[in-house]
Amino acid sequence: MEDIFDSTLNLEETHLKEGFDDGYKDGLIAGKEEGKQVGLKVGFEVGEELGFYRGCVDVWNSVIRVDPTRFSSRVQKGIKQMEELIQKYPVMEPENESVQEIMDGLRLKFRAVCASMGAKLEYNGYPKSSSEANQIGF
């Protein structure tokens, strides 16, 4: 025969388990929504930066078509390498391990091409580090 006080003795444990289960369920829902928002923001930032580099490459290629001697062969090679990196970027595979490596290579190549041309172009998109974020004024 079961003791009538058994349910009272396990009351705290029962409420603790129910609270944990409810919190876990709510946390999953909130975590998915937060993850979605972060993913949209980061995806937009990456797309914006890739679009900037794509635009620069398109303009430079147009100049090369009009005047093939306008840029040195070294600059033209750098532009071609940038184009290849942009095409190689796995836009539809955000979990691909090479995304950061490709983006770093693209940024480096962009700076090298700009320096070779003597141009003072830079991508003024979202800040990449906390020290840059502190420089933004509202």
Side-chain angles (χ1 to χ4, degrees), residues 2-135:
E2 199 174 304
D3 187 7
I4 60 171
F5 296 110
D6 277 348
S7 62
T8 306
L9 293 174
N10 294 328
L11 188 61
E12 181 181 3
E13 186 178 314
T14 302
H15 285 293
L16 187 66
K17 182 173 179 356
E18 286 177 11
F20 176 83
D21 291 344
D22 289 345
Y24 186 81
K25 201 170 26 173
D26 291 345
L28 282 177
I29 293 168
K32 285 180 182 178
E33 184 58 35
E34 184 178 339
K36 179 181 175 183
Q37 294 304 317
V38 169
L40 284 170
K41 180 180 181 289
V42 171
F44 178 81
E45 292 170 2
V46 168
E48 185 180 50
E49 188 172 1
L50 281 173
F52 172 78
Y53 297 135
R54 174 85 257 171
C56 290
V57 166
D58 288 348
V59 167
W60 295 331
N61 280 332
S62 294
V63 170
I64 292 169
R65 280 191 295 280
V66 171
D67 182 6
T69 62
R70 180 72 178 130
F71 299 130
S72 69
S73 61
R74 179 178 175 195
V75 170
Q76 289 185 31
K77 180 180 176 186
I79 294 168
K80 178 120 176 92
Q81 289 170 338
M82 278 184 67
E83 189 169 20
E84 290 168 358
L85 285 170
I86 292 168
Q87 289 172 349
K88 194 163 104 173
Y89 193 89
V91 175
M92 301 307 284
E93 299 175 46
E95 294 180 12
N96 189 317
E97 294 176 9
S98 66
V99 293
Q100 191 61 46
E101 180 182 321
I102 293 171
M103 186 60 86
D104 289 344
L106 187 55
R107 290 175 182 141
L108 184 66
K109 190 55 66 179
F110 175 75
R111 285 193 300 271
V113 167
C114 287
S116 295
M117 288 191 297
K120 300 225 187 248
L121 286 175
E122 63 181 63
Y123 173 69
N124 292 323
Y126 292 91
K128 301 295 182 225
S129 68
S130 59
S131 64
E132 290 178 36
N134 293 335
Q135 296 174 359

